[in-house]
Amino acid sequence: MKLIILDRDGVINHDSDAFIKSPAEWVPIKGSLEAIARLNQAGYRVVVATNQSGIARGLFDMQTLMAIHQKMHEAAQLVGAEIDAIFFCPHAADDNCDCRKPKAGMFHDIGKRFDVSLRGGVATVGDSLRDLQAGFVAGCAPYLVLTGKGEKTREKGGLPPGTLIYPNLAAVVDFLLKKPMELAV
Ligand SMILES: O=P(O)(O)OC[C@@H](O)[C@H]1O[C@@H](OP(=O)(O)O)[C@@H](O)[C@@H](O)[C@@H]1O
Ligand SMILES: [Mg+2]
Ligand SMILES: [Zn+2]
């Protein structure tokens, strides 16, 4: 089975320094949902691994997070895309949980749930260093996109070895499905 693990904010939808606190604030990045549909058609299971410390911060509750994800699923369906599962960490950094990226807990759980060894070339796509670090530790091939916080992440450096950089999720999918696309260097 082909599997890919995507960060949510800044990869699928626009991010905000004020967090994505409601369905109304969830706006897909142009081309991202269509890119997921192309992955589905190529036989990929698409799974999201997202930090949602806004829950621990009291910025929004679980019901609101579920409503945001319902909107994401519906928007995906409109373009023939399907997100197979959404794993999220609702904790704050000082909760010292095992699931908050850059820890790899969500990635290990995804590997178990889908019975896939992540070390077999499973790609993970993120806009923050912690996304890439979590995936890399779990054995994934890291891809940085320059949407969301990606430009800042590139400037800061320290990316896991072998990280490939692309302008956005659609360009990563072009590469994965072997349509020529220039690397964003
Ligand atoms: O990119 P993913 O993992 O899908 O979600 C990130 C969000 O949960 C929020 O994560 C926060 O980081 P802190 O949780 O405050 O460190 C900030 O970066 C917010 O701007 C951002 O919206
Ligand atoms: Mg992000
Ligand atoms: Zn957690």
Side-chain angles (χ1 to χ4, degrees):
M1 180 225 291
K2 289 185 278 191
L3 173 70
I4 186 168
I5 301 172
L6 306 180
D7 174 54
R8 193 195 87 185
D9 297 337
V11 173
I12 298 175
N13 57 277
H14 294 286
D15 195 2
S16 160
D17 287 343
F19 292 67
I20 303 303
K21 302 180 292 301
S22 68
E25 292 179 3
W26 185 91
V27 178
I29 290 170
K30 190 172 176 324
S32 65
L33 297 176
E34 294 78 359
I36 292 174
R38 285 193 285 137
L39 286 167
N40 298 144
Q41 283 142 29
Y44 278 82
R45 308 297 290 275
V46 177
V47 177
V48 171
T50 178
N51 282 355
Q52 290 301 322
S53 70
I55 296 264
R57 296 166 182 274
L59 297 176
F60 47 88
D61 60 17
M62 202 60 92
Q63 193 180 357
T64 302
L65 182 62
M66 294 303 111
I68 292 169
H69 288 164
Q70 183 58 28
K71 179 176 181 182
M72 180 163 71
H73 282 303
E74 287 168 3
Q77 275 164 4
L78 281 180
V79 297
E82 182 172 7
I83 294 168
D84 289 85
I86 302 171
F87 286 64
F88 63 90
C89 164
H91 306 112
D94 56 10
D95 288 335
N96 279 322
C97 67
D98 290 332
C99 46
R100 179 180 162 85
K101 298 176 285 186
K103 287 187 185 170
M106 286 192 281
F107 289 74
H108 294 313
D109 289 349
I110 291 166
K112 277 192 218 116
R113 171 87 69 83
F114 288 87
D115 194 21
V116 170
S117 161
L118 302 186
R119 298 189 182 284
V122 169
T124 191
V125 184
D127 67 314
S128 298
L129 179 59
R130 67 189 188 195
D131 306 327
L132 307 177
Q133 289 170 324
F136 181 77
V137 161
C140 293
Y143 291 78
L144 172 66
V145 288
L146 300 180
T147 47
K149 295 181 170 69
E151 289 280 8
K152 283 196 196 111
T153 302
R154 177 167 66 171
E155 281 155 27
K156 281 187 206 149
L159 301 178
T163 299
L164 296 180
I165 304 175
Y166 282 94
N168 50 44
L169 178 59
V172 173
V173 171
D174 286 346
F175 170 76
L176 290 174
L177 302 186
K178 299 283 180 281
K179 265 172 63 182
M181 179 73 203
E182 288 306 307
L183 283 177
V185 287

